[in-house]
Amino acid sequence: MPFNRRAFLGSTVAATALAAVFPRVSLAQPTPEAGGTLRVAVDQAVSVLHPLLTRVNPEYLTAELLYSGLTRLGRDMLAEPDLALSWEGNEDLSVWTFNIRPDVTFHDGTPCTADDVVASFQAILNPDLSSPARNNVGPIDKVEAVDATTVRFTLTSPYADLPVALAYNNARIIPASVIAGDFDSLRSTANGTGPFRLVSYEPDRMVVVEKNPDYYDPARPYLDRVELHVFPDFGAQVSSLMAGDIDMISTLGPNDFLRLDGQDGIDVLRSESGQFCNVNFGTDIAPFDDPRVRRALALTVDRDAMVDFMTEGFGTKGNDTPLNSSYPFFKPLTQREQNIAEAKALLAEAGLPDGFEAELVASDRPAIRTQLAVALREMAKEAGITINVITMPHATYLDQVWTKGAFYVGFYNMQPTPDGILKLLFTSDAAWNETRWNNSDFDALVNRARSTLDTAERTDLYTQAQAMMNDEVPSIIPAFFDVLGAKRTWMQGYDIHPRASVFRLDHAWLDASAPTKG
C-alpha cells in the first residue's frame, strides 16, 4: 500500500499552500464589549471536574474557567500573573517567593490566602492523589505561607522554569477547607477563584458557567456566560458552526479546517505546536522489551508520508522524541528515515526473522489515533510485522489500556517546557509513565538539565536525552501537528494557543452581531 500524498490527499495544492500561511494577529484590536453567551463545541465529555485530576482538553478548559493558578501561560509560552502578582527567585533559584493578590475570594465568598495555596500544592504533591501536576510543577521540596499573601517554595535543586511550570493545567488553587473536608466533592461541584462560576454540569452533554462578579480583574471576563456543548460527531460541530448555532470549535481536524476556510462569517485558526500522536510501547512486555524490536518498527515508518497522511500538510516530521523546534533548548538530531532492510535485520537479531504479530489499540478520540494505527499497520507489513488494529471508545481506552497496555496509540498536547513533556511521559517518575522505559541515564540527563541555568549546557543535555530516546525508541513519534480551530467572526479576543490545552476565554468577547449578544 503506497503511503504518499497522492494516495491520501485530495486537496494537495490547498494543503501545501495553507501550510506556509499562518494567521497574523492585528496590533490594532477593537475595544472589548461586555455581555453575551459564548457557545463552545468540545469533542469529548467533561468526565472529570476535579481541577487537580483533569486529563483531556474539555476538562482543562472547564477547570480554567472555574479556577485560577498562581501563574498562567501566555501565547508566547511565558508565565503571566494569575493569583500571584509577582515572584522572585533567590540567587541560585533554589527558593522562590510568590506574592499573592489580596482580597481574592473563592466562589463561595471565603477568602483565598497563602494557606489555600500551600494546601493546594501539598495535595498536588501527595502521591496518593496521583495528580498529573505532581511531577510537572518543578522539583518542589516544601511550600510555606510566609504571611497571608506570601508563599515560599523551597526546591530540591535550582529550577529556572518554576514560574512557567506552576502554570500547568492541573496546578489550580482550591480551598484548604475543602481539601481537609470533602475533597471528593470537587468531582461534581466547583469552588474556585476563576473568572466564571459553575451553573450546571452534565458530563456527556453540556457544562454551563456564568460570570464571576467577584473576579480579581473587574474588567474581565467580558462574557456573561459560557456553554460547553459536547459534540462527539465532528461533522455536527462543523455544521453547527456554519449555521451559527455555536461560536467556536476548540479543536479542529485538517479536513474540517479546509472545509471552513473561506466560509463567510467564519475565521479559521492555526498555530505551530509540539502536539503529537505517538505509538507507545510497554517496554516491560515482550516483544517490546527488546529495543531492537522497537527500533525495527520505527524504521518501517515513512515520515514524509505520515505527515501527509496524519496532518494533511498541517504539521512536521517527528524523530521519535517529543521535542521539536517549538520548544526552547531544541537541537535536531539526524532524521530517522524508512529502512525496511535494516528493520528486518534488527528483527532477525532479536530472534524474530519471520517478524511477529501484535494488537495495536487506538482510542476513537481523536480519530487521528486510528489513522496512525492503520498507517503503521500498512507500513510494517513489508518488514514481516502483522499489526491488528483495535479501536475502542475513549472512556474504555482510559480505563483498560492507558498506562497499562503493551502497544497503543497516544495523543499529547505541547507542554510549556522540554522538562514538562519529558517529566510528564518519559522519566521513571513521570506522571504518566506509559512506556515503563525507566532509563536511569535518561533520568539523570533530564534532572541535570532542569537544574542548569546556562542555555548552551541545557541544550546539550536535552540533545543527549533526545539521542538516547531516538536510539532505544520507547515511543514512535512520527509527526507533530499544527493546532487548528475555528470561530465565528463575531467572537473577538481569542486566538488558538500553541499549547492546545490553554484557552484564555476570559479575554474573549462578542461583538454586536452575535446572536446571543442580547
Side-chain angles (χ1 to χ4, degrees), residues 162-438:
L162 186 68
V164 177
L166 296 186
Y168 191 74
N169 294 98
N170 302 97
R172 304 293 177 182
I173 306 306
I174 55 184
S177 59
V178 174
I179 296 171
D182 190 3
F183 199 18
D184 279 347
S185 67
L186 296 181
R187 295 180 183 275
S188 57
T189 63
N191 189 16
T193 60
F196 296 89
R197 303 184 302 194
L198 185 65
V199 174
S200 62
Y201 172 52
E202 299 174 75
D204 297 312
R205 194 181 78 85
M206 184 164 64
V207 179
V208 179
V209 300
E210 65 182 5
K211 179 176 182 175
N212 175 12
D214 300 317
Y215 188 53
Y216 65 72
D217 184 343
R220 292 183 288 115
Y222 304 114
L223 299 162
D224 289 334
R225 182 179 174 102
V226 177
E227 298 174 355
L228 305 185
H229 296 259
V230 179
F231 281 83
D233 180 79
F234 294 103
Q237 289 190 46
V238 171
S239 297
S240 293
L241 185 73
M242 293 175 68
D245 295 329
I246 61 169
D247 309 302
M248 167 189 161
I249 298 176
S250 60
T251 304
L252 199 63
N255 287 336
D256 290 329
F257 184 99
L258 292 169
R259 178 183 172 191
L260 290 171
D261 187 38
Q263 294 285 336
D264 289 342
I266 292 176
D267 296 325
V268 289
L269 308 169
R270 182 179 180 186
S271 176
E272 291 181 325
S273 177
Q275 185 184 77
F276 63 87
C277 199
N278 67 335
V279 176
N280 285 308
F281 296 110
T283 62
D284 55 351
I285 301 173
F288 305 116
D289 55 349
D290 190 327
R292 293 170 297 187
V293 174
R294 305 194 300 264
R295 199 178 311 122
L297 256 171
L299 285 165
T300 69
V301 178
D302 182 334
R303 311 277 163 157
D304 291 309
M306 276 290 196
V307 171
D308 283 348
F309 181 58
M310 292 173 62
T311 79
E312 301 192 26
F314 293 87
T316 54
K317 286 196 290 187
N319 204 19
D320 303 328
T321 84
L323 304 181
N324 67 358
S325 59
S326 298
Y327 283 98
F329 315 115
F330 172 77
K331 184 178 179 181
L333 304 173
T334 300
Q335 178 66 51
R336 173 171 281 134
E337 303 292 352
Q338 187 182 52
N339 189 325
I340 300 299
E342 186 178 349
K344 289 181 175 179
L346 284 168
L347 290 174
E349 285 180 25
L352 298 168
D354 299 321
F356 64 94
E357 184 173 352
E359 290 185 349
L360 177 58
V361 179
S363 157
D364 62 353
R365 288 288 183 270
I368 192 66
R369 296 190 198 231
T370 299
Q371 294 172 28
L372 169 56
V374 169
L376 182 62
R377 179 188 69 191
E378 299 304 319
M379 291 176 180
K381 284 180 179 178
E382 195 174 349
I385 301 170
T386 300
I387 295 175
N388 302 310
V389 175
I390 298 176
T391 300
M392 63 177 56
H394 190 65
T396 305
Y397 157 85
L398 288 175
D399 181 57
Q400 299 181 6
V401 177
W402 183 59
T403 71
K404 308 176 188 72
F407 192 34
Y408 65 91
V409 181
F411 182 87
Y412 303 98
N413 291 320
M414 180 179 181
Q415 299 299 310
T417 63
D419 185 78
I421 189 66
L422 297 176
K423 280 285 185 178
L424 179 67
L425 298 177
F426 293 109
T427 58
S428 300
D429 62 351
W432 297 340
N433 184 12
E434 299 176 277
T435 64
R436 283 94 67 193
W437 183 34
N438 299 344

Side-chain angles (χ1 to χ4, degrees), residues 108-139:
D108 66 359
T110 59
C112 176
T113 70
D115 289 336
D116 299 295
V117 175
V118 172
S120 296
F121 277 94
Q122 287 175 342
I124 288 168
L125 297 171
N126 183 349
D128 293 337
L129 181 65
S130 298
S131 172
R134 178 173 173 245
N135 290 301
N136 292 282
V137 292

Side-chain angles (χ1 to χ4, degrees), residues 32 34 68 72 80-85 101-105 107 193-196 211-223 504-508:
S68 305
R72 63 190 306 183
E80 295 179 353
D82 201 2
L83 287 181
L85 277 169
R101 297 178 189 272
D103 304 321
V104 173
T105 59
H107 295 161
T193 60
F196 296 89
K211 179 176 182 175
N212 175 12
D214 300 317
Y215 188 53
Y216 65 72
D217 184 343
R220 292 183 288 115
Y222 304 114
L223 299 162
R504 301 169 63 87
L505 291 185
D506 53 306
H507 290 273

